[in-house]
């Protein structure tokens, strides 16, 4: 054999890649003896790929058809429980929301009679009413024990209004009806 014939490239019997005639392995697919006399036509792997692709498409179409049948068919009457006929109910109107800013008229103050009360507001805080955001005034001081007009004692806030008058307010009632400005 001449040097020209030895260096000549031929097709690999497995993948069709061009390899040297003297190559022991194909660099593309790794087949041993890629130039051996028994040649496998390179079209066969394509036929296998085509067969696999056809099977995948058929499977997908079958699955889509089965799903369409189950989705579009009406439910069988034996699977749907019979529902008794109910008389129409009148629309329900929700009760009006309770006034969040004002305590219940008969709710006793939780602060009366208590000697230890943790004050929420501190002197210098500006307060507004929760109901209408009306300005109540500024907290002047807190009193741990104040005697109210009804004779009971308890913690209280002294609040100065915008007009300059000071009012003494029950701590619990003020904390339930006012917020910081």
């Amino acid at each position: 054999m001449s040097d020209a014939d030895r260096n000549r490239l031929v097709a690999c019997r497995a993948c069709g890649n061009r390899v040297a005639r003297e190559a022991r392995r194909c660099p593309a697919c790794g087949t041993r003896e890629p130039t051996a006399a028994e040649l496998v036509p390179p079209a066969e792997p394509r036929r296998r790929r085509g067969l696999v692709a056809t099977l995948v498409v058929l499977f997908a179409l079958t699955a889509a058809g089965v799903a369409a049948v189950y989705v579009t068919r009406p439910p069988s009457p034996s699977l749907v429980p019979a529902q008794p006929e109910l008389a129409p109910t009148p629309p329900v109107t929700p009760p009006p929301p309770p006034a969040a800013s004002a305590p219940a008229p008969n709710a006793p103050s939780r602060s009366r009679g208590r000697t230890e009360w943790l004050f929420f507001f501190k002197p210098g805080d500006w307060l507004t009413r929760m109901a209408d955001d009306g300005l109540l005034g500024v907290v002047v001081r807190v009193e741990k024990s104040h005697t109210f007009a009804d004779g009971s004692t308890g913690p209280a806030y002294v609040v100065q209004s915008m007009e300059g008058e000071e009012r003494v307010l029950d701590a619990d009632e003020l904390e339930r009806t006012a917020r910081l400005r």
Side-chain angles (χ1 to χ4, degrees), residues 57-72:
V57 168
L58 285 174
F59 177 74
L61 289 173
T62 304
V66 169
V69 166
Y70 280 106
V71 168
T72 58

Side-chain angles (χ1 to χ4, degrees), residues 45-95:
R46 287 186 185 161
R47 269 190 251 140
R48 281 190 216 138
R49 276 188 249 140
L51 179 62
V52 170
T54 304
L55 289 175
V56 168
V57 168
L58 285 174
F59 177 74
L61 289 173
T62 304
V66 169
V69 166
Y70 280 106
V71 168
T72 58
R73 77 172 184 184
S76 105
S78 63
L79 297 178
V80 178
Q83 295 181 356
E85 291 197 23
L86 300 173
T89 57
V92 177
T93 56

Side-chain angles (χ1 to χ4, degrees), residues 10 14 30-31 33 36-37 57 64 89 95 98 105 110 112-113 134 144 149 158 162:
V10 293
T31 301
E33 308 279 333
V57 168
T89 57
R110 295 175 298 174
R112 299 279 174 108
K144 292 189 180 221
V158 178
M162 294 304 296

Side-chain angles (χ1 to χ4, degrees), residues 120-134:
F120 181 76
F121 304 119
K122 63 183 186 306
D125 285 346
W126 285 88
L127 304 179
T128 60
R129 284 188 299 269
M130 285 187 197
D132 60 359
D133 281 336

Side-chain angles (χ1 to χ4, degrees), residues 99-112 150 152 170-174 176-177:
S101 62
N106 296 335
S109 172
R110 295 175 298 174
S111 63
R112 299 279 174 108
D150 65 355
S152 63
D170 179 80
D172 181 48
E173 291 174 15
L174 184 66
R176 285 190 283 169
T177 59

